[in-house]
Amino acid sequence: MSQDVETIIRTLLSDVLGLSSEQVSALQDDSELFGAIPELDSMAVAGLLTELEDRLDIMIDDDEVDGELFATFGNLVRFAETKVAE
Amino acid sequence: MRPQPLHIYYNTAGQSEYGLRFGPADADRIVLILPPLFDEMNRTRRMMVEAMRHLAKRDVASLLPDLPGSNESRTALSEQSMESWRRAASDAAIQSKATHVLSIRGGSLLDDATGLPICRLAPVKGASLLKTLLRARISADKEAGLVTSAEQLIIEGQRHGLNLAGHAIGPAMLGDLEKALPVLSDATTEAALSDVAGTALWLRSEPGDSPEMSAALAGYIDQWSATCGR
């Protein structure tokens, strides 16, 4: 399951940010997202969250969303895995 | 030669609204395109217009109307609702003599008002569109040092309307978006993204382009429309 969530997030980042499959496969646990990827503005984050909810069938509370969540690729994957397990 | 557009107008709710038309004047197939809504429309317009050019080369005409309050429209967005947009979709279909409908994303919330055969691409619930717009507003507020919540914004919006990511959403539109769902019927076909070499351009943070998707989408619509509703 853990692998699935990570794959889904890679695909989602590619869809939202228009990254190539090479760029997306190169993302590591400690790859920085927010701040490092200029395309990731507040509108993109909003779309990403809603799409994440739809694709993983989870609900994300706006209180849970902060800078930390999008700080690194690993943070985002771990957050999503926790939500899926809930 | 690269197909050239015709600039047409259709009437809805007493106003004249712009539409972009491609293809032969006497085409026996005319596809009405109901575009994604709000920001998503801007992000996909180039892809849609290129698909229209490809359709024209296949002798299929197409029309991309402006919904009242969007794009070139001189009508206020804050006065629109899903109901006024559904009427606009129906008016555009009748006045353009459309034979088929292609709806993309939020366009699928309007398509059944036309009574025509429909092909949908990535249909979305109104509530999902609203949620994304609210999130963008909340995060912009946060950057400005304001703490707002979705519940609080909705209560305010039901009274006075809301500005969400630059879109003036009136109380009627807000209420309609919360409830709006794509209506399924025998007239509806859904194209998978993989059928049209698709990437989710509507999610992109910047308006993008995909020549492969435009060509594949036109090919798909040509084949689909040849087999139904004629």
Side-chain angles (χ1 to χ4, degrees):
Chain A
M1 188 65 209
S2 149
Q3 184 56 41
D4 288 347
V5 170
E6 191 178 319
T7 310
I8 289 170
I9 292 179
R10 282 186 200 272
T11 311
L12 180 59
L13 284 171
S14 152
D15 287 344
V16 173
L17 303 170
L19 302 177
S20 69
S21 49
E22 294 80 43
Q23 285 172 300
V24 163
S25 350
L27 288 171
Q28 304 281 325
D29 210 45
D30 58 353
S31 299
E32 290 183 17
L33 297 179
F34 206 67
I37 302 177
E39 288 88 350
L40 203 57
D41 59 11
S42 59
M43 194 69 212
V45 166
L48 202 148
L49 288 170
T50 309
E51 203 61 23
L52 201 60
E53 289 184 329
D54 288 352
R55 294 190 194 186
L56 294 174
D57 196 22
I58 55 174
M59 289 288 280
I60 302 171
D61 207 2
D62 289 313
D63 299 342
E64 301 172 288
V65 182
D66 55 21
E68 275 297 293
L69 173 53
F70 288 100
T72 64
F73 178 67
N75 279 13
L76 183 58
V77 171
R78 271 187 297 279
F79 171 78
E81 283 170 349
T82 314
K83 294 304 287 185
V84 169
E86 268 175 17
Chain B
M1 208 184 89
R2 194 170 156 80
Q4 295 303 306
L6 204 62
H7 305 284
I8 61 107
Y9 291 85
Y10 72 100
N11 292 305
T12 186
Q15 299 284 331
S16 177
E17 300 289 353
Y18 173 80
L20 191 62
R21 189 191 189 280
F22 281 91
D26 59 352
D28 63 350
R29 281 179 284 161
I30 302 173
V31 180
L32 174 72
I33 301 181
L34 295 175
L37 308 178
F38 310 113
D39 283 67
E40 295 189 352
M41 190 269 278
N42 300 330
R43 298 185 204 141
T44 46
R45 191 169 176 91
R46 189 178 164 90
M47 187 282 292
M48 291 187 291
V49 173
E50 279 308 306
M52 293 170 82
R53 291 186 200 274
H54 282 287
L55 281 171
K57 288 183 194 158
R58 295 165 177 261
D59 289 329
V60 179
S62 56
L63 175 78
L64 177 60
D66 279 356
L67 293 168
S70 71
N71 205 34
E72 300 288 328
S73 175
R74 279 185 282 184
T75 317
L77 176 60
S78 58
E79 288 162 20
Q80 304 308 316
S81 62
M82 292 310 277
E83 268 323 299
S84 72
W85 278 0
R86 290 171 60 84
R87 271 200 306 278
S90 164
D91 289 336
I94 293 166
Q95 292 165 39
S96 66
K97 300 187 169 62
T99 56
H100 298 82
V101 174
L102 162 65
S103 67
I104 306 178
R105 298 286 289 167
S108 301
L109 302 169
L110 318 173
D111 57 13
D112 58 296
T114 63
L116 294 169
I118 297 157
C119 180
R120 284 182 178 155
L121 184 62
V124 65
K125 289 182 288 194
S128 297
L129 293 176
L130 180 62
K131 196 162 192 183
T132 302
L133 288 169
L134 284 167
R135 280 192 163 132
R137 162 74 187 259
I138 291 166
S139 105
D141 283 352
K142 199 183 264 179
E143 280 165 31
L146 296 166
V147 179
T148 43
S149 71
E151 294 74 25
Q152 187 189 333
L153 286 170
I154 286 173
I155 292 168
E156 182 196 327
Q158 282 163 345
R159 282 195 207 131
H160 312 291
L162 278 177
N163 186 322
L164 297 179
H167 304 281
I169 308 286
M173 181 66 90
L174 187 68
D176 285 357
L177 272 176
E178 284 186 288
K179 300 188 297 275
L181 293 170
V183 177
L184 273 176
S185 78
D186 295 344
T188 320
T189 305
E190 189 174 328
L193 263 188
S194 53
D195 290 336
V196 297
T199 49
L201 286 175
W202 45 86
L203 293 179
R204 296 279 168 84
S205 48
E206 295 292 330
D209 191 12
S210 172
E212 304 78 23
M213 186 174 179
S214 296
L217 182 58
Y220 187 93
I221 293 300
D222 183 9
Q223 280 192 0
W224 163 76
S225 61
T227 60
C228 67
R230 299 175 77 189

